[in-house]
Amino acid sequence: YSAVPRYEVNRPRIILQNAQPGQKEQKEVLVKSNYGETLEIANVSSRLGYMKIVGREVEENALKLTIEISMPDKETAARRYFSDELKITFENKQEVDIRVSGWFKT
């Protein structure tokens, strides 16, 4: 048997290189329902608080999300590398994850 996943995330992992501490960057992510469901977001949570949804457009059976990533400031960024995870829960209790990884400019 072969089946497609219930939701498909175009850009499930965002990688940022040469990030500047304290800066913000926006990226677009497309979340698509492969079974024609309407996507209604019930809850959004960011593990470390670096990511949030600042815009959303509804397309047929998909959501085009604009995600803002706030890089940690120098005091918080003890290491050269940072990461975070955005968990989106839909009305039907299904979840998708979007991850960000970044490296600070040296």
Side-chain angles (χ1 to χ4, degrees), residues 22-102:
Q23 296 293 319
K24 295 182 180 182
E25 193 162 330
Q26 292 186 356
K27 299 290 183 181
E28 291 194 354
V29 175
L30 185 69
V31 180
K32 179 183 173 192
S33 168
N34 287 320
Y35 294 97
E37 299 170 304
T38 303
L39 299 175
E40 293 291 330
I41 296 176
N43 189 27
V44 177
S45 64
S46 175
R47 185 171 39 96
L48 297 175
Y50 301 149
M51 302 171 72
K52 67 180 179 179
I53 296 174
V54 293
R56 75 177 86 172
E57 292 178 34
V58 178
E59 298 178 358
E60 275 186 44
N61 57 339
L63 283 175
K64 186 177 184 180
L65 304 173
T66 304
I67 297 176
E68 183 176 86
I69 303 152
S70 301
M71 276 48 106
D73 55 18
K74 281 196 177 216
E75 293 77 37
T76 308
R79 303 180 318 202
R80 186 168 178 239
Y81 171 81
F82 69 94
S83 66
D84 196 7
E85 179 179 15
L86 187 73
K87 186 176 292 290
I88 301 171
T89 307
F90 296 109
E91 293 283 330
N92 61 5
K93 308 294 185 217
Q94 297 292 314
E95 297 177 343
V96 295
D97 296 324
I98 300 167
R99 293 179 176 83
V100 66
S101 300

